[in-house]
Amino acid sequence: MISAILIFLALAILFGILLGYASVRFKIEGNPVAEQIDNVLPQTQCGQCGFPGCKPYAEALAKGESEVNLCVPGGHEVMIQISEITHREPKEMEAEPENIAQKIVAKIDEDICIGCVHCIKACPVDAILGATKMMHTVIESECTGCEKCIPVCPVDCIAMIPEEVTPQTWGWPEPTPQEAPLIQTFPPKD
Amino acid sequence: MTTTPTRTFKQKLILGLSKLYPMAKRALYRFHGGVFPRYNKELSLSHPLITDFIPKTLVLPLQQHVGVITEPLVTLGDLVLKNQLLANTEKGLAAPIHAPTSGKIVAIEERTLPHASGLSGLSIILESDQKDQAIENSLDVDGSIPEMPDKLKALIHRAGIVGMGGAGFPTFAKIPSQKGQIKYLLINGAECEPFITCDDVLMQTRANDIVQGALIVAQSLGIEHILCGIEDNKGKAIKAMQKAAKDTNVQIKVVVTAYPMGGQTQLTQELTGIELPAHTHAIDVGVLMMNVATFAAIYQAVIHGNPLTSRYVTVSGLGLNHPFNIDARLGSSFKELALLAEPKTPLTYPLIKGGPMMGIEMQSNDVPIIKTTNCILATPPEPMEEPMPCIRCGECMDACPINLLPQQLYWHSRSHEFDKVEELKVFDCIECGCCSFVCPSHIPLVQYYRFAKSEIKHIKQEEATAELAKKRHEFRQERLEREKKEREDRIRAKKEAVKQKAAQKASAETTETEKPKANAAAAAAARAAKARAAKNGKETPPAEPKLSARDRAIAAAKKRTDAASKPTESNTTTPTKKQKDKPKDPKAAAMAAAKKRAAKAAKEKHSTQADATASTETDATDTTDTMKDKRAAAVEAARQKAAEKKRAKQSEQPENDSLETPSVATKPSDETTATPNKASDAKRKAAMAAAKARAKKQQSKTTEEKT
């Protein structure tokens, strides 16, 4: 009887120490769910969800303080992914992005730009180059197309343009997939 | 078929069986799958090779290879000779472009590329003068074989040679930089696509160039085994190559005619038995394979110094009356060559670049031949077989030369499950078209794989940009945070400085009241001198005992006018600005200022018995009204000015305008954090200057008020 108690006590202490050590040694920094959500978000940092960036929205989602259908550029797909991660009911998107297929980037009309640096301050990814009273320009490869620079421009010299397709970036179109129905009656109808 | 010398019983049996079941021929070679289409090669072989056709205009796209676009080195209106360098770049993987004939550069503009997208790209347009004047040995070679791989690579790069089998990868980048890395050098003469005979004709006419080219590469890279694979339907080519390879270590291997025998992985496996693992390059297993045309181009470059400016192209197809092979200048138009072959019907249908299996329909027929174009196919469109549902027969799986699962790939591609498509190794697919060829339902399978590949690439690209955006956004947040903190720190430092100033003022006052009997002016002067000495370090106090009261008054007056001439704002802003800029400096400055103020306050108290509460400077000065005070102030000011002048002289400062000093003093103070010694010195100077400026300002103010 005593020996059994001692054995279990010893085991309990051993596992207690092990667990305690593991919790210190393998401690997870930050919120893994927020991290996961952040990874599926499109990282445009556009703020259309009402949060100042993708990460804050991910954190709010992880805490359950926000709806799953707020990411406009991510669209339906991201909403589904978010609801899978958070184990919540998918919700229909309220707003759909205007053009999903093509990436758009900001372009500054350099003749009109007055060098006010407003857009530089607004850009969430520092993709605009320029200095006070100097012409500004957008680094296209780093622009996320969030359109945050458009309302702040006092001379309306920024336009969103679709990214140019080059032979390198061009992709094969989908071979019209539904030309053959999955189940066909026999004889086939004409 | 006739050239294979001996056939084993097994081969005979299989060939016999293949009459009943064609796919039995798959047992004749080493790789999996494969198909046996109708070759139609005799179409173009039945007509002689054309070598003397020079088109009127040549369109040379600046990018004819995998890598980065080249930059034009010629300008509009330039007269160029054949073999002259037209475009090159040092920015990355690229192959330079040379003039295919002599003529004039008439434009450098966007022209439609021979690309499936039908997009246009920057091209040089050369109008030929039909004289075809050439620069002989334009690569400046001495005809010797480079001993080191690096030299060979450089030469191949300069010659603008790219993989001419169709990949278009710059050849120099394919060659290893060290000797002995390659065990087998393989010559790809297995032209397996139907209709195409350009390599066949090349082997027949320039077998020596090909063999010598291979020997050059082998010698340069120290390769022992050279194997040349030629399909057994090219009898003449085999004979010519065997003749050229006599007495060399080039082995001509006759391989079975099967599609896609000419694929790199397939021919490698057939010739060496090595099956290339996924995600490895041929070089990793000690194999280097090049097309016969590439070897011929290497020979031309190394021995004769001729860059790559022309290539053999097959112009064939069922829609042509007179199909042929041509030694075409790069930049010749598809349409022009097709018209040369007398099309049966007007060319209202799209021409195909490449063969019927892997070829791509052009969006425009007026596209140029580039270094990788091996065939122009004019086949009038036939009524397309309507795609039917997949019946899961598995024919495609049996036909796939890479051992993939085409059916699975199809289903996943169709339902956009790209992660699964990728797991099934869609990127190992060579798009040979065997699966589509055998599909009884006529499903355009390769189209689905191409689409899936494009989509996966696009998704990967998007992920990369998202990652970059995330990083940049996080960095920005960090930067804003840091800037905010720095600003707060500055404000706090400033507040502390103000507090300290007030505290010191109070303490100075108490010390002053302890010795009320001392002569105020003398005491102030002494203290100021002491402070100055302490501040200036080695500098001696510039006492001017011999100056009379009148002189001092004059000095004071001068100074007043000095101060008055400058806007008062600049007086006040300079020191305060400095305080903002340097959180450490203002403290010192404030201390000095406070001391002096305290001294003055004591003076005032002594003469006017004003109340001893810590009043503001202006308050204090306003209350003083006596002549004594004025004089004392004048004395102080004059002394300061003299000291300043002296210091200015010492530091070889051309302007003796006292107002300049504060700003000058800020310069050395920039280094405060870097070197503590220097910093303390600079601090002292700055403090001095600030104090002086303030005192002066006050003087001028008070005196103005008095007068």
Side-chain angles (χ1 to χ4, degrees):
Chain A
M1 176 66 184
I2 282 287
S3 62
I5 288 170
L6 280 177
I7 285 166
F8 277 99
L9 200 66
L11 277 174
I13 288 165
L14 180 72
F15 286 123
I17 289 166
L18 264 175
L19 279 174
Y21 172 74
S23 71
V24 175
R25 175 72 178 74
F26 304 108
K27 192 172 187 221
I28 295 164
E29 295 287 340
N31 190 341
V33 177
E35 205 54 35
Q36 243 176 307
I37 298 169
D38 195 29
N39 282 338
V40 302
L41 290 175
Q43 302 298 334
T44 47
Q45 319 293 352
C46 62
Q48 288 180 70
C49 51
F51 293 90
C54 292
K55 204 165 187 182
Y57 178 45
E59 277 159 5
L61 275 169
K63 283 181 204 154
E65 291 167 357
S66 177
E67 293 295 338
V68 293
N69 62 347
L70 298 181
C71 185
V72 177
H76 189 77
E77 231 166 274
V78 167
M79 185 273 292
I80 296 288
Q81 278 174 305
I82 292 169
S83 45
E84 270 171 15
I85 295 167
T86 53
H87 304 293
R88 285 160 68 183
E89 275 297 306
K91 227 175 148 186
E92 233 5 86
M93 296 298 294
E94 276 160 15
E96 282 290 334
E98 279 164 22
N99 56 352
I100 326 156
Q102 209 164 18
K103 190 193 164 191
I104 50 166
V105 288
K107 188 167 169 52
I108 292 176
D109 190 332
E110 291 165 357
D111 295 332
I112 303 173
C113 175
I114 53 167
C116 67
V117 303
H118 283 170
C119 56
I120 292 180
K121 283 179 188 156
C123 181
V125 290
D126 286 337
I128 302 177
L129 269 182
T132 316
K133 290 190 179 170
M134 300 287 181
M135 179 201 81
H136 304 343
T137 195
V138 178
I139 309 170
E140 267 180 47
S141 60
E142 268 146 27
C143 176
T144 62
C146 69
E147 306 187 13
K148 271 188 173 175
C149 48
I150 290 186
V152 296
C153 182
V155 289
D156 281 339
C157 70
I158 307 176
M160 298 308 290
I161 53 155
E163 210 179 29
E164 205 187 330
V165 181
T166 64
Q168 279 76 38
T169 57
W170 177 83
W172 284 90
E174 185 168 14
T176 40
Q178 305 318 328
E179 63 208 351
L182 286 173
I183 302 160
Q184 202 169 32
T185 50
F186 195 82
K189 285 175 205 158
D190 282 319
Chain B
M1 296 249 173
T2 48
T3 46
T4 18
T6 49
R7 279 214 184 98
T8 59
F9 174 71
K10 187 189 160 195
Q11 281 172 329
K12 278 180 191 161
L13 186 76
I14 292 167
L15 283 173
L17 247 169
S18 70
K19 291 196 176 79
L20 292 170
Y21 174 60
M23 296 309 168
K25 278 199 260 179
R26 281 181 184 156
L28 289 172
Y29 48 87
R30 284 170 161 174
F31 66 88
H32 179 265
V35 292
F36 309 95
R38 277 198 62 212
Y39 281 94
N40 287 319
K41 296 218 181 207
E42 65 290 340
L43 284 179
S44 50
L45 281 175
S46 57
H47 294 89
L49 175 75
I50 297 174
T51 51
D52 53 358
F53 178 68
I54 304 169
K56 206 163 178 311
T57 46
L58 297 167
V59 178
L60 300 156
L62 290 175
Q63 182 157 19
Q64 308 197 2
H65 49 264
V66 176
V68 298
I69 193 164
T70 58
E71 289 159 7
L73 302 172
V74 286
T75 49
L76 220 64
D78 278 5
L79 294 171
V80 295
L81 294 173
K82 184 185 175 182
N83 297 345
Q84 189 179 328
L85 185 63
L86 296 184
N88 198 3
T89 184
E90 300 295 323
K91 283 182 185 159
L93 189 64
I97 291 156
H98 301 79
T101 187
S102 59
K104 191 175 162 191
I105 308 293
V106 290
I108 299 173
E109 60 187 22
E110 298 265 324
R111 285 291 178 98
T112 314
L113 298 172
H115 189 266
S117 61
L119 290 167
S120 52
L122 211 57
S123 311
I124 295 176
I125 288 93
L126 174 66
E127 201 176 79
S128 75
D129 56 9
Q130 301 293 325
K131 287 176 195 155
D132 206 24
Q133 288 169 313
I135 306 172
E136 294 304 328
N137 192 7
S138 81
L139 297 174
D140 198 23
V141 294
D142 54 9
S144 65
I145 298 167
E147 285 305 313
M148 294 310 293
D150 283 340
K151 277 188 185 165
L152 180 74
K153 279 179 81 165
L155 187 54
I156 288 174
H157 184 198
R158 282 202 294 136
I161 298 171
V162 303
M164 289 164 78
F169 194 76
T171 302
F172 79 93
K174 204 174 160 182
I175 295 174
S177 325
Q178 262 118 42
K179 270 192 174 192
Q181 223 173 309
I182 304 293
K183 203 175 165 211
Y184 291 105
L185 181 67
L186 305 183
I187 307 172
N188 189 344
E191 197 175 35
C192 58
E193 270 258 3
F195 289 98
I196 307 179
T197 52
C198 63
D199 287 354
D200 188 356
V201 172
L202 186 81
M203 284 189 282
Q204 288 177 31
T205 54
R206 286 167 62 190
N208 197 47
D209 285 15
I210 298 164
V211 172
Q212 292 305 318
L215 289 173
I216 289 164
V217 175
Q219 191 178 333
S220 217
L221 298 175
I223 303 168
E224 284 171 41
H225 305 282
I226 310 172
L227 302 175
C228 177
I230 306 174
E231 280 184 330
D232 59 12
N233 61 353
K234 301 177 189 48
K236 281 184 189 167
I238 293 166
K239 267 184 198 148
M241 287 295 283
Q242 273 169 342
K243 202 177 152 203
K246 220 174 178 185
D247 305 323
T248 66
N249 59 347
V250 179
Q251 295 176 48
I252 308 294
K253 294 247 182 179
V254 179
V255 296
V256 183
T257 305
Y259 182 86
M261 184 60 85
Q264 174 164 284
T265 38
Q266 285 71 41
L267 193 60
T268 304
Q269 198 180 347
E270 185 64 24
L271 292 177
T272 65
I274 299 168
E275 195 176 348
L276 210 60
H279 308 300
T280 50
H281 294 290
I283 284 177
D284 301 335
V285 293
V287 172
L288 179 64
M289 179 186 282
M290 284 188 238
N291 186 265
V292 283
T294 314
F295 281 115
I298 290 172
Y299 169 78
Q300 281 295 327
V302 173
I303 304 299
H304 300 298
N306 291 331
L308 178 62
T309 58
S310 66
R311 66 157 298 148
Y312 281 23
V313 177
T314 304
V315 183
S316 188
L318 298 171
L320 300 175
N321 274 327
H322 194 81
F324 57 83
N325 276 287
I326 181 172
D327 187 5
R329 312 286 165 138
L330 299 179
S332 311
S333 160
F334 273 41
K335 199 176 174 183
E336 211 175 335
L337 293 184
L339 288 174
L340 214 63
E342 296 161 21
K344 290 171 186 167
T345 53
L347 287 173
T348 48
Y349 50 89
L351 293 170
I352 293 166
K353 180 187 85 167
M357 299 293 284
M358 288 181 77
I360 292 162
E361 273 185 14
M362 292 292 102
Q363 302 288 323
S364 155
N365 283 344
D366 198 18
V367 289
I369 281 173
I370 59 169
K371 290 172 183 177
T372 55
T373 314
N374 52 6
C375 181
I376 300 169
L377 200 64
T379 305
E382 286 164 22
M384 283 276 286
E385 297 276 5
E386 192 72 9
M388 305 271 279
C390 172
I391 55 168
R392 300 182 184 262
C393 63
E395 278 289 318
C396 50
M397 198 180 71
D398 290 337
C400 182
I402 319 284
N403 267 319
L404 298 176
L405 299 171
Q407 198 193 99
Q408 298 295 96
L409 286 170
Y410 161 67
W411 287 114
H412 291 309
S413 300
R414 189 175 160 152
S415 46
H416 294 206
E417 293 164 335
F418 297 119
D419 47 339
K420 284 180 183 153
V421 183
E422 207 184 348
E423 263 171 44
L424 290 165
K425 312 260 184 236
V426 74
F427 280 101
D428 285 345
C429 170
I430 57 168
E431 300 173 20
C432 64
C434 287
C435 47
S436 308
F437 182 78
V438 297
C439 183
S441 295
H442 311 292
I443 299 168
L445 291 164
V446 176
Q447 283 302 318
Y448 280 96
Y449 312 148
R450 281 175 175 159
F451 163 67
K453 279 181 184 178
S454 299
E455 281 302 295
I456 293 166
K457 273 184 201 154
H458 184 71
I459 290 166
K460 290 239 164 99
Q461 178 64 36
E462 258 181 7
E463 271 171 14
T465 33
E467 192 54 39
L468 181 75
K470 192 173 157 189
K471 235 180 241 171
R472 285 181 76 85
H473 183 65
E474 274 167 12
F475 180 77
R476 183 173 185 268
Q477 296 298 103
E478 208 180 291
R479 178 169 60 80
L480 291 180
E481 197 74 12
R482 196 182 63 226
E483 273 171 6
K484 198 178 157 196
K485 201 170 158 266
E486 273 169 9
R487 202 164 48 239
E488 275 170 2
D489 280 353
R490 267 206 303 275
I491 292 165
R492 204 180 304 125
K494 215 168 132 191
K495 271 183 188 160
E496 262 168 34
V498 171
K499 240 184 240 167
Q500 215 165 16
K501 200 161 80 180
Q504 278 192 3
K505 204 191 232 171
S507 68
E509 270 160 13
T510 49
T511 47
E512 277 310 303
T513 45
E514 275 166 20
K515 30 182 177 172
K517 281 170 196 171
N519 184 314
R527 213 171 297 120
K530 217 193 277 170
R532 217 175 292 132
K535 278 179 226 151
N536 282 349
K538 284 167 201 169
E539 267 179 47
T540 49
E544 291 170 88
K546 277 168 197 172
L547 278 178
S548 67
R550 223 182 122 202
D551 289 338
R552 277 180 230 141
I554 290 164
K558 253 190 205 162
K559 214 173 149 202
R560 228 175 291 138
T561 49
D562 243 21
S565 67
K566 294 274 163 190
T568 21
E569 264 183 16
S570 70
N571 275 347
T572 49
T573 48
T574 343
T576 44
K577 226 189 206 170
K578 205 177 54 181
Q579 280 175 353
K580 256 187 211 164
D581 289 344
K582 303 286 154 231
K584 279 178 187 172
D585 274 357
K587 246 187 252 174
M591 257 171 67
K595 258 184 207 163
K596 206 176 297 147
R597 236 173 283 132
K600 215 189 285 158
K603 249 187 287 162
E604 286 157 13
K605 241 182 279 156
H606 188 67
S607 52
T608 59
Q609 308 298 324
D611 67 329
T613 51
S615 54
T616 57
E617 287 170 335
T618 39
D619 283 352
T621 42
D622 280 345
T623 49
T624 60
D625 216 358
T626 58
M627 279 295 288
K628 263 186 204 168
D629 217 285
K630 247 191 196 170
R631 214 173 54 203
V635 169
E636 178 83 16
R639 209 166 278 147
Q640 269 170 13
K641 197 177 178 189
E644 195 181 286
K645 262 186 191 163
K646 199 178 169 190
R647 214 170 40 104
K649 240 183 255 167
Q650 274 176 353
S651 59
E652 287 177 278
Q653 194 69 33
E655 318 105 317
N656 52 2
D657 188 349
S658 60
L659 289 169
E660 289 294 321
T661 8
S663 57
V664 172
T666 52
K667 271 180 197 163
S669 68
D670 282 341
E671 295 147 16
T672 40
T673 45
T675 48
N677 269 346
K678 250 189 190 172
S680 59
D681 202 51
K683 224 190 278 174
R684 244 182 276 129
K685 272 185 193 165
M688 272 259 310
K692 244 174 258 157
R694 197 166 309 149
K696 215 196 313 164
K697 187 187 71 201
Q698 238 164 47
Q699 293 314 317
S700 58
K701 235 191 217 167
T702 43
T703 39
E704 264 166 23
E705 276 168 15
K706 300 292 126 49
T707 52

